[in-house]
Amino acid sequence: QVQLVESGGGLVQAGGSLRLSCAASGSIFSLNSMGWYRQAPGKQREWVAVITRVGTTNYAGSVKGRFAISRDNAKNTVYLQMNSLKPEDTAVYYCHSYVPDSWGQGTQVTVSS
């Protein structure tokens, strides 16, 4: 099993930055891909970024060039660096373990215009 706890969300002005963290427990973390997703009120949850166990990454087009996912396997932690934030980035952000399937509780990111 893997348990995930996000932190680092908050309020920021457009153009600002935030760094989200997701601390994982369990021995599976270092072996599997991890992702970040987000969900705005009244909208579907959408994929944001993914990182493999060896550190290769991919991003949704809406965040490409602005966000960066990374991981520190020794610390069992995955990060999402968010730069040049826009109001449309406002959402609850969730980290996700693909195998086994597991989700964090989410952390709120609010970007003001």
Side-chain angles (χ1 to χ4, degrees), residues 66-106:
R66 300 188 298 117
F67 290 11
I69 188 172
S70 61
R71 69 193 297 163
D72 186 335
N73 289 343
K75 296 181 178 180
N76 286 339
T77 302
V78 62
Y79 305 95
L80 185 68
Q81 178 68 46
M82 304 185 295
N83 299 323
S84 301
L85 283 162
K86 304 175 180 179
E88 53 262 44
D89 295 320
T90 295
V92 177
Y93 284 71
Y94 299 89
C95 60
H96 178 226
S97 170
Y98 290 90
V99 181
D101 181 50
S102 184
W103 296 87
Q105 82 288 350

Side-chain angles (χ1 to χ4, degrees), residues 1-60:
Q1 300 88 358
V2 61
Q3 295 175 330
L4 309 172
V5 179
E6 302 99 331
S7 62
L11 277 62
V12 65
Q13 294 182 344
S17 298
L18 285 173
R19 191 188 195 201
L20 307 183
S21 298
C22 177
S25 62
S27 60
I28 294 87
F29 178 84
S30 63
L31 302 176
N32 294 294
S33 296
M34 298 286 294
W36 284 97
Y37 290 71
R38 66 187 183 186
Q39 187 169 24
K43 297 184 179 180
Q44 298 290 332
R45 188 171 297 186
E46 65 174 343
W47 169 74
V48 173
V50 64
I51 185 166
T52 72
R53 65 178 180 86
V54 297
T56 55
T57 61
N58 203 5
Y59 301 91

